[in-house]
Amino acid sequence: MTAVQIQNALVLCTILGFATMEWASRRYKNTVNATGNDTKLEILMFLSVLAVTQPLAIFVTSKLGAAWFPQYKGALADLPWWGMVGILLLVDDMTQYWWHRLSHTSFLWPLHRAHHSAEYMSIRITFRNNFFYYLMMPGLWFAGALLFLGFGGLVYAGYIVVKLLVILGAHCAWRWDEPLYRIRALHPVMWVLERTISTPATHWAHHAITNADGVGHYKGNFGNLLFLWDIIFGSAHITRRYPEQVGLIDDQLFGQERWYHQMLFPLLQSQREHTALKFGGRIYQDPQEKAPPV
């Protein structure tokens, strides 16, 4: 098997594994109340990332590299595996942290709000975003450039699998970290783990509908693979608890935005009151909060 085939097989096993645990734990049945609008957005965004955005980034960077810098093709192929992993963490994961953090500003929030409009947590929302959120994501283009420079094989495949494992686990309806917190002997291990990678407890807090309960922290906990970036850059909030509700207050008050507005803004714009998905739109501000969730 090639590295890509191994990667794809492991990714499929990871998705099926978490899906099985969501179902077996009954968390999916009891907590995921998705509408047809949700399903269309999630399926189309998953397919667009898989079939359009990621292949486009790899294709364009490869062509530009070959045209402008042909002498550098494969220049980093002989780096040791740990060197490649270190560069990937900086160029891919850290840049994704900052892209995610910037997407919670008023300017970029319309491209990311779709990810927070789900009123449930599940692996199905992992790639739920605006199409242009991924098209403009620096990490995807940097990854394409690294592939041109020789990052490939089992090192890159392994990195992708581990990253997806953590990200799916952080969104999963099955809260895998919850029983581990109850085991006293594991407390030191969990202390290190929750400060290293994203976990359900820390990432669910990021999806909370409010910060008022002391658990929610939608203005932080931005890490994707590494939660360590939140620790380093001062955006971490760790409680080992889970918010009672996730989603957006404005959707509860004014109705869910249509999937095509969420996916294709600014090409398609909403006419809803209090919406971020139109030019000049305003986000509803919860009177219990000091600022809107952006």
Side-chain angles (χ1 to χ4, degrees):
M1 293 179 69
T2 66
V4 173
Q5 290 173 329
I6 294 173
Q7 171 190 306
N8 292 340
L10 290 174
V11 165
L12 180 59
C13 290
T14 300
I15 293 172
L16 291 175
F18 279 118
T20 299
M21 290 309 302
E22 285 192 339
W23 185 261
S25 65
R26 303 183 67 84
R27 290 283 308 172
Y28 187 90
K29 180 179 180 179
N30 294 335
T31 65
V32 178
N33 299 305
T35 65
N37 193 62
D38 291 314
T39 300
K40 290 174 185 175
L41 174 62
E42 290 158 4
I43 290 176
L44 289 173
M45 276 308 306
F46 175 74
L47 292 176
S48 74
V49 172
L50 193 67
V52 180
T53 314
Q54 187 177 51
L56 180 64
I58 294 172
F59 175 79
V60 171
T61 51
S62 175
K63 291 297 183 182
L64 291 178
W68 295 348
F69 309 104
Q71 68 274 26
Y72 293 115
K73 183 174 177 62
L76 301 180
D78 294 328
L79 279 179
W81 70 266
W82 51 267
M84 287 188 179
V85 170
I87 291 174
L88 283 165
L89 288 174
L90 291 173
V91 173
D92 174 66
D93 197 55
M94 188 181 74
T95 61
Q96 192 172 351
Y97 164 87
W98 282 107
W99 179 245
H100 188 187
R101 185 166 178 167
L102 288 171
S103 73
H104 280 258
T105 63
S106 57
F107 179 67
L108 289 177
W109 173 247
L111 303 185
H112 182 57
R113 79 173 299 283
H115 190 64
H116 287 264
S117 64
E119 297 181 357
Y120 48 85
M121 295 297 291
S122 167
I123 59 171
R124 58 183 286 164
I125 75 167
T126 303
F127 296 102
R128 175 180 172 136
N129 262 302
N130 179 281
F131 175 79
F132 298 101
Y133 176 83
Y134 286 114
L135 187 63
M136 296 167 58
M137 181 182 287
L140 275 182
W141 296 91
F142 289 148
L146 289 176
L147 287 172
F148 172 77
L149 292 171
F151 279 51
L154 290 176
V155 175
Y156 186 75
Y159 173 81
I160 293 299
V161 170
V162 170
K163 182 167 183 173
L164 189 62
L165 177 71
V166 172
I167 295 173
L168 287 171
H171 289 91
C172 190
W174 168 58
R175 303 188 298 214
W176 60 263
D177 57 344
E178 190 171 22
L180 301 181
Y181 284 132
R182 302 193 192 107
I183 303 174
R184 187 174 183 84
L186 291 181
H187 283 187
V189 175
M190 295 304 294
W191 187 94
V192 173
L193 190 67
E194 66 191 356
R195 285 162 175 78
T196 305
I197 65 170
S198 294
T199 64
T202 55
H203 197 69
W204 283 43
H206 176 70
H207 280 258
I209 200 169
T210 178
N211 287 350
D213 60 0
V215 177
H217 192 54
Y218 53 67
K219 300 171 188 175
N221 292 15
F222 300 113
N224 290 274
L225 167 54
L226 293 185
F227 189 76
L228 182 63
W229 305 127
D230 288 283
I231 300 293
I232 293 172
F233 297 117
S235 55
H237 182 61
I238 301 173
T239 66
R240 298 191 174 185
R241 294 185 292 157
Y242 310 87
E244 292 186 9
Q245 274 189 294
V246 297
L248 297 174
I249 291 173
D250 53 323
D251 278 6
Q252 286 195 349
L253 294 176
F254 306 108
Q256 191 179 50
E257 298 276 19
R258 302 305 302 164
W259 68 266
Y260 42 84
H261 293 142
Q262 297 188 69
M263 180 176 175
L264 295 173
F265 174 88
L267 298 182
L268 299 178
Q269 298 186 36
S270 172
Q271 298 303 310
R272 197 190 75 177
E273 182 182 10
H274 295 295
T275 180
L277 301 182
K278 66 181 178 184
F279 294 138
R282 295 178 61 88
I283 304 168
Y284 175 79
Q285 182 173 338
D286 180 1
Q288 295 183 15
E289 302 284 352
K290 294 181 180 179
V294 294

